[in-house]
Amino acid sequence: MSDSMPPANRLAATASPYLRQHARNPVDWWPWCDAALAEARAQDRPILLSIGYSACHWCHVMAHESFEDPATAALMNRLFVNIKVDREERPDLDRIYQTAHQLLSSRAGGWPLTVFLTPETLEPFFCGTYFPREPRHGLPAFRQLLEGVERAFREQREAIREQSQGLMAALAELAPRAGAIPDSAPLEGARRQLAASFDAARGGFGGAPKFPRVPDLELLLRHWAATDAAGQPDARALAMVTFTLERMIAGGINDQVGGGFYRYSVDDAWMIPHFEKMLYDNAQLLALCCDAWQATSEPVFRAAAEATADWVIGEMQSDEGGYYSALDADSEGQEGRYYVWTREELEGTLAPEEFAAFAARYGLDGPANFEGRWHLHAQAMPAEVAGRLGLTVAQVEGLIDGARRKLLEVRRARVRPACDEKVLTAWNALMIKGMARAARVLARPDYLASAERALGLVRSTLWRDGRLLASYMDGTAHLPAYLDDHAMLIDALLELLQVRWRRDDLRFAIELAEILLARFEDSGEGGFFFTASDHETLIHRPKPLADESLPAGNAVAARVFQRLGHLLGEPRYLEAAARVLAVAGGDMRRAPYAHASLLMALDEHLEPGETVVVRAPPTELPPWLAELQQTYRPRRSALGIPADEQDLPGNLASMGPGPGARAYLCRGTHCEAPIEELARLPA
């Protein structure tokens, strides 16, 4: 294997933008493939597995310090078979080796993830994350580490084998076992834990860094809705949600100029973010802002939802219809450079009256908050600014909106952060659901059109010969889809069906559900594996239950199987959902705080919600659906099916049309007599 730097290494031929970022490293990189693994076995060299993603700041730092350095690359090439993995394309590998890192080092992992594997078994024997070029912050220099790890591999093979046996036993112990479905105690436990960690001064939970944690907020909002419907609203639960969302929307974690939310805040006050923008965060926050607006009618939530959706359509949706994965945190080699401002730039761009209002709103009369520049973070409400300047609130809002438009034009002339243009099925499904929710709640047909374009791309490129694929870019769709892809796509289809009826969407949802049962379900213990039964054999086959940056795939599967089961009257689907809750019961009891999405599925199991199907001529459906969907009712699914639709599947076949509009109301598996008067619909 040559130590000289080729014009481009093997990563140049891959579809992943992250892997392509490393295509001109002097490192002799391989993608994860059979040939790379065979090379490691043939050479009896350990594998250096480096996992990251395109928008990861510290991945870029390590690449610049080490992977672009000829001396470091020469050492890597001499001692290891080096494999680069995009964690967004291969969440199966990332999930396994992040768990191994936690077991071996007794601390959480992250990215870049640096793992050294034995060539024979692919079991990790040393793990870490970022390593610097020179020793600092208690971390060894990367080159020192490389030499030490390789020496240990040569001299301590027996010790490594014993450690691997212990690691594999620990991974096996993590597999959940079937038990009893919990009662409501974990739901109450989660509410207590969230209330105890709530930051009443700044919103959110715990201290810095602060993440959006949308499932936790959604769980609290759903709880408030249930108590409100019962006549005893839990005002504190609602306040935790609305205050947190308000602080995020006003904060630096929200792009005050262009819309869209950044990944997380590095401080307690939501002021300075980590500047990457991820599709999955924005998808979940879009849906939550719509729910908060529907629950409260507060304009701030509608405005944030529209700003987020408009940003996604304008910057993150391809001409083909799919949604891109992420915007980088860095541009021109600096994190946040695209988004921050000097006072001179602001004064030179804005009219004096605009600058006065903008400066008061965003605290530009105070010290700079980001490396000598300002990252915009609201310091005063428009009413406070109006009082200070002797203007009306409407005048202040008009000046600020005008200032934003001008600043957005200036910003567009800057060097834009790199965009990862991969179309990932699961992440697209989350955004399709968010856009569909926004279309329904905000009455925005353009958002429905966006969702349908994205679904069209998924159907045309990522659904092939009865199999779903995980990733698409530049005309190439590849990689077998995971649990999250299937479950979240079903969830998106069910949301779209509440906006408008399309028979093929229901058929597709059923087909995906059958694939989950046939290829992903654990027929012994219950629940769903992350990978299909015919997936590449890896050292572990996880069954994820806890929420991470995405809702847990098993939780989404449980909820969609419950909803689809009630809609169609299909006991197999309800039984599959119950098996998820049974196998997850122990985890929910031990750590309710970490399982908000599962708890929402548990809640709908303990108290099944309403399924309302309206049959009517197409022109008569809108007022009935508007009545059913005008308030925040998270337990309710409402579908409008044209009266002339025939040969419907399952329980829908018994819901025939009447002489006019007719609504069928079912709670769980119990259905009531049809309703034929709009005034008799439940609130």
Side-chain angles (χ1 to χ4, degrees):
M1 199 177 288
S2 172
D3 288 344
S4 62
M5 177 182 168
N9 61 41
R10 299 176 189 86
L11 301 185
T14 63
S16 162
Y18 172 66
L19 298 188
R20 291 180 191 173
Q21 287 175 0
H22 296 268
R24 293 195 176 271
N25 293 166
V27 179
D28 186 24
W29 287 117
W30 291 80
W32 182 278
C33 60
D34 289 342
L37 306 182
E39 176 77 5
R41 289 192 296 271
Q43 298 291 332
D44 192 31
R45 289 188 191 179
I47 292 168
L48 193 168
L49 176 64
S50 177
I51 302 178
Y53 59 102
S54 68
C56 167
H57 172 71
W58 287 103
C59 299
H60 298 328
V61 172
M62 190 166 177
H64 176 67
E65 290 181 342
S66 296
F67 304 149
E68 296 171 8
D69 175 58
T72 303
L75 193 61
M76 293 171 65
N77 296 340
R78 181 167 59 83
L79 299 180
F80 302 96
V81 170
N82 302 290
I83 298 179
K84 255 291 172 198
V85 164
D86 183 342
R87 67 107 173 175
E88 297 167 355
E89 283 192 338
R90 295 300 306 261
D92 53 339
L93 294 169
D94 184 57
R95 184 177 294 276
I96 289 168
Y97 291 113
Q98 291 282 358
T99 303
H101 174 279
Q102 189 161 3
L103 291 170
L104 288 174
S105 65
S106 300
R107 60 180 181 271
W111 301 278
L113 182 67
T114 307
V115 190
F116 296 89
L117 313 180
T118 60
E120 308 92 346
T121 63
L122 308 182
E123 294 165 0
F125 63 95
F126 186 85
C127 300
T129 52
Y130 162 77
F131 291 99
R133 177 163 40 197
E134 306 296 337
R136 64 174 182 265
H137 307 307
L139 295 171
F142 188 51
R143 276 187 274 178
Q144 288 178 301
L145 178 78
L146 295 174
E147 292 173 329
V149 167
E150 198 275 340
R151 186 166 53 250
F153 175 76
R154 295 289 167 209
E155 297 175 0
Q156 302 176 39
R157 297 290 278 265
E158 186 56 37
I160 287 173
R161 271 190 285 271
E162 291 177 5
Q163 176 184 274
S164 293
Q165 290 173 358
L167 174 65
M168 296 305 295
L171 286 171
E173 282 297 312
L174 293 176
R177 302 283 186 262
I181 297 176
D183 58 16
S184 61
L187 287 156
E188 181 55 37
R191 288 193 290 272
R192 284 197 307 269
Q193 290 175 326
L194 289 169
S197 66
F198 180 65
D199 183 345
R202 305 171 188 87
F205 304 97
K210 277 186 175 173
F211 289 82
R213 291 178 54 173
V214 173
D216 292 341
L217 295 169
E218 186 183 357
L219 180 67
L220 290 170
L221 190 61
R222 287 171 58 99
H223 166 68
W224 167 80
T227 59
D228 184 60
Q232 296 179 312
D234 185 338
R236 189 180 183 204
L238 180 62
M240 284 191 281
V241 176
T242 56
F243 182 63
T244 297
L245 261 183
E246 286 166 358
R247 298 316 303 152
M248 288 176 59
I249 291 166
I253 194 174
N254 183 25
D255 184 347
Q256 300 295 326
V257 171
F261 289 87
Y262 305 104
R263 180 73 189 97
Y264 62 86
S265 174
V266 301
D267 60 277
D268 288 335
W270 305 105
M271 181 181 290
I272 303 300
H274 184 42
F275 283 91
E276 64 196 33
K277 286 185 179 181
M278 309 302 294
L279 185 69
Y280 56 75
D281 288 319
N282 283 281
Q284 294 174 81
L285 284 163
L286 171 57
L288 183 64
C289 286
C290 290
D291 291 347
W293 182 78
Q294 196 173 36
T296 68
S297 300
E298 290 292 337
V300 64
F301 301 129
R302 181 182 183 117
E306 291 182 327
T308 303
D310 291 346
W311 167 75
V312 169
I313 293 172
E315 293 196 34
M316 300 298 286
Q317 189 159 27
S318 72
D319 291 341
E320 293 179 278
Y323 298 116
Y324 298 142
S325 295
L327 281 184
D328 206 328
D330 300 6
S331 58
E332 299 183 79
Q334 296 180 27
E335 183 176 7
R337 182 179 178 86
Y338 185 72
Y339 301 103
V340 297
W341 302 89
T342 65
R343 189 182 182 92
E344 292 74 24
E345 284 177 313
L346 294 166
E347 287 181 323
T349 302
L350 305 179
E353 61 274 16
E354 290 173 330
F355 180 79
F358 205 77
R361 170 77 164 137
Y362 293 106
L364 303 180
D365 49 354
N369 62 359
F370 187 78
E371 299 176 357
R373 301 182 182 190
W374 278 269
H375 177 61
L376 300 180
H377 173 278
Q379 302 284 358
M381 298 299 291
E384 184 182 343
V385 175
R388 197 184 305 174
L389 299 179
L391 301 171
T392 66
V393 172
Q395 287 173 319
V396 167
E397 290 177 338
L399 289 169
I400 290 172
D401 286 343
R404 281 199 194 104
R405 285 192 292 272
K406 288 182 179 180
L407 294 176
L408 189 58
E409 287 304 310
V410 171
R411 201 171 77 178
R412 283 174 176 156
R414 296 175 176 174
V415 177
R416 186 171 182 259
C419 180
D420 187 326
E421 296 184 353
K422 289 195 312 294
V423 173
L424 296 170
T425 301
W427 298 15
N428 269 249
L430 282 172
M431 185 55 76
I432 292 167
K433 176 183 176 181
M435 285 290 184
R437 180 80 55 85
R440 175 167 62 86
V441 171
L442 307 180
R444 290 287 301 263
D446 53 333
Y447 296 163
L448 173 60
S450 172
E452 290 188 321
R453 288 180 61 220
L455 178 61
L457 181 73
V458 171
R459 293 295 305 267
S460 65
T461 64
L462 289 155
W463 176 247
R464 186 179 299 162
D465 301 325
R467 297 298 295 259
L468 194 62
L469 300 174
S471 181
Y472 169 79
M473 186 170 167
D474 292 341
T476 299
H478 69 137
L479 300 171
Y482 308 99
L483 166 63
D484 291 0
D485 300 299
H486 292 81
M488 290 172 187
L489 189 51
I490 297 170
D491 200 24
L493 291 163
L494 293 179
E495 186 69 42
L496 275 169
L497 285 168
Q498 295 195 74
V499 188
R500 87 289 176 268
W501 169 255
R502 184 184 286 172
R503 185 190 196 94
D504 195 46
D505 285 355
L506 180 59
R507 187 183 297 117
F508 190 27
I510 293 169
E511 196 164 4
L512 293 169
E514 293 296 331
I515 290 172
L516 279 179
L517 290 179
R519 297 178 181 148
F520 288 81
E521 190 178 24
D522 182 345
S523 58
E525 295 288 338
F528 296 92
F529 292 111
F530 190 69
T531 53
S533 54
D534 57 355
H535 192 81
E536 173 188 359
T537 301
L538 302 171
I539 65 169
H540 180 54
R541 195 180 178 201
K543 192 187 296 180
L545 301 174
D547 293 324
E548 296 175 357
S549 53
L550 273 63
N554 267 284
V556 179
R559 195 166 72 88
V560 299
F561 271 111
Q562 284 175 158
R563 295 203 165 197
L564 202 54
H566 286 137
L567 178 66
L568 300 175
E570 177 51 78
R572 291 185 304 119
Y573 293 171
L574 298 176
E575 290 161 4
R579 289 192 292 271
V580 171
L581 297 175
V583 81
D587 289 63
M588 285 190 279
R589 292 185 190 94
R590 281 189 297 272
Y593 192 71
H595 298 87
S597 296
L598 270 171
L599 292 177
M600 288 184 267
L602 173 64
D603 185 43
E604 291 193 9
H605 173 84
L606 297 174
E607 287 190 56
E610 297 175 342
T611 302
V612 187
V613 175
V614 180
R615 301 297 309 273
T619 56
E620 296 182 37
L621 285 172
W624 285 69
L625 290 177
E627 183 69 22
L628 287 164
Q629 297 175 348
Q630 67 176 332
T631 55
Y632 178 62
R633 293 287 181 265
R635 294 169 180 265
R636 175 182 292 169
S637 295
L639 278 70
I641 303 179
D644 59 359
E645 281 282 343
Q646 298 179 357
D647 300 322
L648 294 170
N651 192 41
L652 293 175
S654 65
M655 299 180 179
R662 172 180 286 177
Y664 294 85
L665 172 63
C666 301
R667 291 183 174 87
T669 57
H670 169 71
C671 295
E672 300 178 0
I675 297 170
E676 298 187 342
E677 298 175 22
L678 187 62
R680 291 183 55 218
L681 284 176

